[in-house]
């Protein structure tokens, strides 16, 4: 029961106190809840081989319903028993604004007990870190988002539009990508103005000290090509110069020596402009020099020695697999290599296939496109890296404000995802998509997909507070 305060007095007190309220740190209850959810998610195995995203989705659905969400607003849906996806809706006031969709994946990359120091599917707190598969990629943010939804609901907070949370299957691999499946089967359930993807973005730190907050605003296109040569073969005691293995080996040698051209786009240009201000010495000078027209070629070469910058400045194509021959004493009849390309926005896979053929410059070499299921095609299907959509002020300004509060003046830098995330599906469906999250990871401690994956305990609780504040900043009238 509440104390009987007259309504007018309550309102007066509220108005008087409002400006004096500090940005509250996460209260103990929110921290406890977030930690419990995080532990629960880590300990539900969601790998493609033996795990189930349905179990994780149902556990999160139960949390939301127990906290008072209507059953109509919390759904677990999927193509089969093991690949469930959660879709939850926090109702906003009935304004004209379309919902915001926030996505995260529930599945994790395989992890073997013998490769790890601790059990990857046990949530362990040790030396200021939480350990377990998914502590970086990305159950950490799934837990944060579920906590934010529960917290806002318990406060009776009404955003100025609906917020939709989709936690999904098979981002890391597998045949049942949840975002793709939801777009194809339940488009109405996740219809939104734009998408926040918590799988990318984040706070870059060096020894725990924040350097910048990334917002992912563009993504490279993934494409595999099979590079092959055939030959009638014969007895290896009677070799001839024309050899399938040599053809492929020479083609790959030419690829190694032929980088794709340097190119900037709106997002990578903004990235290097802002990043240059944080660097010193040669690196800062080089970052400025590549922004000039024409760009300084020596600066491009120096920066490209760093794999991360190289991938932002160029389309990359790299040999990843090879197989050839059928017997130690026979001339090879077939040699195959897989070349994996990450294509800059604005270019198509078909264009890159032609580029590869030109670089190989060998009529004996055949370049074919390979799809995600491993099917091989002579002609590359229509596939283009979408042009970058820089984040609009409505997304960037609140992000800069909250990042400023939490990480004290550290700049927000639009960035291009050089890997691939589920944003590829939402962007293709016409939904502008931005990678945003508040987890700080040291530049040299990226352990996603690796052994002893971990996140700082303090970084987790900052992340809990970040998404709660950011979602409110996006959906309350300023
Ligand atoms: Zn991920």
């Amino acid at each position: 029961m509440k104390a009987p305060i007259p309504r007018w007095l309550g309102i007066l007190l509220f108005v008087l106190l409002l400006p004096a309220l500090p940005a509250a740190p996460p209260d103990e209850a929110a921290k406890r809840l977030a930690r419990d959810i995080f532990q629960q998610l880590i300990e539900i195995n969601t790998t493609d081989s033996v795990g189930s995203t349905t179990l994780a989705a149902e556990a999160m659905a139960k949390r939301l319903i127990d906290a008072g969400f209507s059953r109509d607003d919390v759904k677990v849906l999927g193509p089969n028993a093991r690949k469930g996806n959660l879709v939850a809706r926090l109702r906003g006031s009935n304004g004209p604004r379309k919902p915001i969709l926030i996505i995260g994946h529930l599945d994790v990359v395989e992890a073997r007990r013998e490769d790890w120091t601790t059990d990857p599917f046990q949530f362990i707190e040790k030396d200021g870190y939480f350990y377990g598969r998914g502590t970086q990629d990305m159950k950490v943010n799934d837990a944060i988002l579920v906590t934010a939804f529960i917290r806002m609901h318990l406060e009776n907070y009404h955003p100025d539009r609906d917020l939709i949370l989709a936690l999904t299957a098979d981002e890391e691999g597998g045949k049942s990508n949840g975002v793709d499946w939801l777009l194809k089967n339940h488009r109405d359930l996740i219809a939104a103005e734009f998408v926040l993807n918590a799988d990318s973005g984040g706070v870059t730190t060096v020894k725990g000290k924040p350097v910048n907050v990334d917002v992912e605003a563009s993504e490279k296109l993934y494409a595999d090509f099979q590079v092959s040569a055939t030959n009638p073969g014969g007895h290896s005691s009677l070799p001839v110069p024309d050899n399938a293995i040599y053809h492929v080996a020479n083609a790959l040698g030419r690829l190694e020596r032929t980088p794709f051209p340097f190119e900037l786009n709106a997002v990578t240009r903004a990235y290097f402009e802002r990043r240059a201000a944080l660097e010193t010495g040669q690196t800062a000078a080089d970052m400025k020099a590549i922004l000039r027209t024409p760009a300084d070629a020596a600066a491009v070469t120096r920066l490209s020695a760093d794999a991360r910058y190289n991938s932002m400045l160029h389309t990359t194509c790299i040999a990843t697999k090879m197989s050839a021959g059928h017997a130690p004493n026979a001339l090879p009849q077939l040699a195959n290599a897989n070349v994996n390309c990450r294509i800059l926005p604005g270019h198509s896979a078909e264009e890159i296939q032609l580029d590869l053929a030109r670089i190989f410059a060998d009529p004996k070499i055949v370049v074919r496109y390979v799809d995600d299921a491993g099917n091989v095609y002579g002609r590359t299907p229509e596939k283009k890296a979408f042009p970058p959509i820089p984040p609009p002020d409505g997304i960037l300004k609140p992000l800069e404000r909250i990042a400023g509060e939490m990480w004290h003046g550290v700049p927000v830098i639009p960035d291009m995802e050089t890997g691939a995330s589920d944003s590829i599906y939402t962007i293709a469906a016409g939904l502008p998509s931005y990678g945003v999250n508040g987890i700080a990871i040291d530049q040299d401690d990226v352990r996603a997909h690796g052994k002893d994956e971990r996140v700082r305990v303090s970084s987790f609780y900052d992340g809990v507070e970040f998404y709660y504040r950011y979602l409110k900043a996006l959906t309350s009238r300023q």
Side-chain angles (χ1 to χ4, degrees):
M1 274 247 317
K2 285 198 185 129
I5 301 176
R7 193 178 149 77
W8 64 268
L9 181 60
I11 291 171
L12 181 67
L13 278 173
F14 182 73
V15 169
L16 285 176
L17 286 174
L18 195 57
L21 287 174
D27 54 71
E28 285 309 310
K31 281 172 81 168
R32 236 184 348 265
L33 176 68
R35 190 190 191 283
D36 283 354
I37 295 175
F38 194 14
Q39 169 158 14
Q40 185 178 26
L41 282 174
I42 295 293
E43 294 184 352
I44 298 173
N45 186 327
T46 54
T47 56
D48 185 40
S49 59
V50 297
S52 164
T53 59
T54 306
L55 289 180
E58 279 169 351
M60 296 303 103
K62 183 172 185 313
R63 294 253 178 202
L64 291 161
I65 289 165
D66 287 352
F69 277 74
S70 145
R71 278 173 195 277
D72 291 341
D73 290 337
V74 180
K75 296 202 156 63
V76 176
L77 313 137
N80 61 56
R82 224 156 55 80
K83 301 291 183 182
N85 308 289
L86 170 82
V87 181
R89 183 177 292 254
L90 180 71
R91 299 264 165 199
S93 49
N94 276 336
R97 307 182 81 185
K98 281 180 83 177
I100 300 171
L101 171 65
I102 307 123
I103 60 172
H105 62 85
L106 287 169
D107 61 314
V108 290
V109 170
E110 307 292 331
R112 292 188 306 185
R113 175 67 188 89
E114 60 269 32
D115 294 341
W116 278 53
T117 309
T118 58
D119 181 347
F121 298 101
Q122 219 190 316
F123 184 74
I124 288 168
E125 183 174 349
K126 201 176 66 178
D127 310 327
Y129 287 88
F130 292 125
Y131 286 82
R133 173 57 91 224
T135 49
Q136 288 191 3
D137 186 12
M138 63 159 288
K139 285 174 170 170
V140 62
N141 276 299
D142 298 334
I144 283 169
L145 289 167
V146 172
T147 305
F149 266 54
I150 289 177
R151 231 172 137 187
M152 289 188 287
H153 179 78
L154 291 178
E155 285 174 359
N156 217 359
Y157 172 69
H158 287 288
D160 66 359
R161 50 168 100 188
D162 287 4
L163 291 172
I164 306 166
L165 175 62
L167 300 181
T168 61
D170 279 7
E171 190 274 342
E172 301 288 5
K175 295 195 176 77
S176 309
N177 182 278
V179 173
D180 187 34
W181 187 85
L182 286 169
L183 284 164
K184 285 181 177 143
N185 296 282
H186 294 278
R187 180 72 196 248
D188 50 320
L189 211 55
I190 55 168
E193 184 188 329
F194 64 88
V195 176
L196 297 176
N197 183 351
D199 196 19
S200 56
V203 186
T204 301
T205 48
V206 174
K207 295 196 189 342
K209 196 176 156 1
V211 179
N212 65 267
V213 177
D214 281 333
V215 47
E216 228 76 48
S218 183
E219 195 156 300
K220 282 177 116 177
L221 175 68
Y222 179 109
D224 282 311
F225 295 97
Q226 183 192 66
V227 178
S228 55
T230 51
N231 192 280
H235 203 287
S236 61
S237 65
L238 296 169
V240 291
D242 187 23
N243 179 300
I245 292 178
Y246 292 164
H247 278 285
V248 171
N250 286 331
L252 297 179
R254 277 192 285 275
L255 179 63
E256 183 190 1
R257 294 185 297 275
T258 317
F260 280 77
F262 156 79
E263 193 177 304
L264 289 174
N265 58 50
V267 170
T268 52
R269 178 170 283 280
Y271 174 85
F272 283 106
E273 273 166 13
R274 293 184 178 205
R275 184 84 208 188
L278 304 175
E279 296 287 347
T280 53
Q282 187 72 53
T283 307
D286 286 346
M287 285 181 177
K288 284 178 195 141
I290 64 165
L291 298 169
R292 288 186 211 121
T293 315
D296 182 326
V300 172
T301 305
R302 273 192 300 272
L303 283 179
S304 300
D306 181 317
R308 177 164 158 70
Y309 298 140
N310 180 54
S311 71
M312 292 182 75
L313 298 174
H314 308 269
T315 289
T316 61
C317 288
I318 189 81
T320 52
K321 275 168 79 178
M322 213 168 162
S323 66
H326 55 284
N329 57 358
L331 298 174
Q333 285 175 245
L334 174 66
N336 269 332
N338 186 79
V339 168
N340 178 246
C341 297
R342 307 300 180 119
I343 302 168
L344 283 175
H347 298 274
S348 69
E350 192 176 17
E351 181 189 335
I352 300 305
Q353 182 184 20
L354 295 173
D355 284 342
L356 287 174
R358 186 179 44 73
I359 290 166
F360 298 149
D362 179 349
K364 288 263 180 179
I365 291 284
V366 180
V367 182
R368 295 186 187 91
Y369 176 78
V370 186
D371 73 9
D372 295 347
N375 302 309
V376 180
Y377 302 86
R379 269 199 62 145
T380 300
E382 193 81 37
K383 223 181 158 189
K384 196 168 177 165
F386 296 93
I389 309 170
D393 275 357
I395 291 169
L396 207 50
K397 289 274 182 266
L399 180 59
E400 283 175 331
R401 182 160 66 76
I402 304 299
E405 284 170 22
M406 300 203 53
W407 295 287
H408 310 297
V410 161
V412 173
I413 301 189
D415 196 0
M416 177 176 69
E417 171 72 73
T418 54
S421 77
D422 277 339
S423 295
I424 202 98
Y425 297 104
T426 49
I427 293 171
L431 300 168
S433 304
Y434 306 98
V436 175
N437 82 76
I439 287 296
I441 293 175
D442 275 1
Q443 207 159 244
D444 59 358
D445 199 38
V446 176
R447 299 185 181 199
H449 301 199
K451 80 173 261 196
D452 296 347
E453 191 178 340
R454 66 179 187 177
V455 68
R456 264 200 190 87
V457 172
S458 58
S459 163
F460 173 63
Y461 291 125
D462 284 349
V464 168
E465 192 57 18
F466 166 79
Y467 241 121
Y468 165 77
R469 287 196 205 177
Y470 182 52
L471 289 177
K472 279 186 150 181
L474 279 174
T475 57
S476 44
R477 300 206 183 276
Q478 302 299 314

